[in-house]
Amino acid sequence: MPSEEKLWPSRLFALVYAAGAVLMGGYALWHYLMGDYGQITLPALLTLLLAGATLLRLSHHPQRYLSAYLVLISAYLLIAVEVAQLEGGAGLWLGLPPVLAFLVLPPGSAILLNVLLGGLWLVLLVSPEQAGELAMAYLVLTLLGALAGGEQARQRDLLEATRPHDDDCDALRASAIRERLAQEFIRARRLDQRLSVLVIQLPQLDGPGDAYDRLTRRQCLRRFAEVTQHGCRAPDQLGHLDDDLFWLLLPDTGENGALMVRQRLLDAVERLALPGGDGLSCRVALCAPHDQESLSTFEERLGLKARLLRESTT
């Protein structure tokens, strides 16, 4: 579930799983107090299973999403063993398995699981005379869950596509900074104002063979963005173009002012301390639009500046 972390934090899931473990433990204790010793085994085992799912969810293990499957297995076992023993009213619980699947699994996996287990739930929970009618209700509930999951995925994709900020640091993403550049370019032309752009390249993050793993790379990007934003004015905009490339838009700023910003940035980055005690270096080039120059030509010059920075050895 790659996108799950963005919607629900791990601690919230762990809290829900822990609550389920407490409830299951209470159910086992109730059987013990009532003298139903033969019924204690299953809820006691499920308590341990849910407790394990809680700990797995709180861990930093890359497979921690498997905790959702442990919770689902626990719920399915409880429904199959306990609810199926109810006389006359078990059919009322037929909608619980598909709802649980959609709550803890991605839509595609939940649909597949509900289709595969639909016959089993009808046999366990429904009397033969009600099977036809409740089978249709089960199918409708599965389709509604699929529609809800599809709409949620569509809204999430739309949010990701329109979100202006970069995933790795406090900067605008490439599409957003290009759009902002076009706006500032037109504004500078119409108001006869100056516009400067600093093209910034981080040599240590250049290409897949850089010296950092993904986590350290993200930390470097975040620290660099924090330092850069700290020295910027409110109208200035920092954008993340590529793994190692940034644009810093400086509206209403001439060459002298842009050079001062460049020097402050170089000094700040030189003092920047990274995890492990390493330092981060950067290369910065100044670019400003010429008179009568078009936006496309200016963007080409910015791209040329970036290539020259990457090819530079100093």
Side-chain angles (χ1 to χ4, degrees):
M1 289 177 286
S3 61
E4 179 186 288
E5 296 294 343
K6 298 180 181 180
L7 297 176
W8 305 99
S10 291
R11 290 183 179 179
L12 179 58
F13 271 99
L15 180 62
V16 174
Y17 297 167
V22 171
L23 289 175
M24 199 62 64
Y27 185 49
L29 179 61
W30 180 79
H31 278 304
Y32 174 79
L33 295 177
M34 295 298 294
D36 297 331
Y37 302 115
Q39 304 293 328
I40 297 177
T41 305
L42 179 63
L45 290 176
L46 295 185
T47 300
L48 297 177
L49 195 62
L50 290 172
T54 303
L55 296 177
L56 179 59
R57 188 70 205 188
L58 288 173
S59 71
H60 296 288
H61 194 277
Q63 302 299 324
R64 64 184 179 276
Y65 66 86
L66 293 177
S67 60
Y69 292 93
L70 295 179
V71 172
L72 193 61
I73 291 172
S74 302
Y76 278 3
L77 286 174
L78 184 65
I79 294 172
V81 176
E82 297 288 341
V83 177
Q85 297 177 1
L86 299 177
E87 297 182 0
L92 296 175
W93 296 89
L94 182 63
L96 185 58
V99 170
L100 288 174
F102 281 112
L103 285 177
V104 300
L105 296 179
S109 302
I111 294 172
L112 179 61
L113 187 63
N114 287 335
V115 171
L116 293 177
L117 296 183
L120 176 63
W121 297 127
L122 289 172
V123 171
L124 290 177
L125 303 179
V126 178
S127 59
E129 57 272 12
Q130 296 179 314
E133 179 181 351
L134 292 182
M136 183 59 66
Y138 182 91
L139 179 60
V140 170
L141 187 60
T142 300
L143 291 176
L144 289 176
L147 290 175
E151 177 62 20
Q152 184 184 40
R154 189 187 71 84
Q155 293 289 343
R156 184 166 59 249
D157 293 340
L158 180 62
L159 179 62
E160 285 295 318
T162 57
R163 188 168 56 88
H165 285 86
D166 189 74
D167 294 330
D168 295 327
C169 59
D170 184 19
L172 297 177
R173 59 172 55 188
S175 58
I177 193 64
R178 291 184 184 278
E179 181 179 350
R180 192 63 57 88
L181 173 65
Q183 295 172 355
E184 293 296 341
F185 186 89
I186 295 173
R187 176 175 175 270
R189 281 283 187 266
R190 292 180 176 177
L191 300 180
D192 193 22
Q193 292 181 343
R194 297 163 298 179
L195 173 64
S196 297
V197 179
L198 294 183
V199 181
I200 308 168
Q201 195 255 344
L202 307 179
Q204 289 132 312
L205 304 183
D206 184 10
D210 58 79
Y212 303 122
D213 56 26
R214 180 170 179 80
L215 180 59
T216 308
R217 168 190 285 267
R218 178 171 291 187
Q219 291 176 342
C220 292
L221 291 173
R222 288 181 177 176
R223 293 295 303 277
F224 170 76
E226 290 174 1
V227 169
T228 305
Q229 297 279 20
H230 181 72
C232 289
R233 305 167 304 171
D236 300 340
Q237 296 291 335
L238 179 67
H240 190 194
L241 268 293
D242 204 350
D243 290 338
D244 62 325
L245 189 64
F246 287 83
W247 282 354
L248 179 59
L249 305 187
L250 304 173
D252 196 19
T253 303
E255 181 179 357
N256 292 335
L259 289 175
M260 292 177 61
V261 174
R262 176 183 181 275
Q263 189 58 48
R264 287 202 306 268
L265 176 61
L266 291 172
D267 293 340
V269 172
E270 186 178 354
R271 296 191 300 268
L272 183 61
L274 296 176
D278 296 331
L280 184 66
S281 61
C282 72
R283 302 166 181 161
V284 186
L286 170 61
C287 194
H290 299 317
D291 295 337
Q292 307 303 321
E293 184 179 29
S294 65
L295 175 61
S296 59
T297 305
F298 183 49
E299 289 184 334
E300 289 177 2
R301 287 204 298 119
L302 290 173
L304 178 60
K305 290 283 188 180
R307 287 194 297 271
L308 292 175
L309 288 176
R310 284 170 170 166
E311 295 171 359
S312 174
T313 58
T314 58

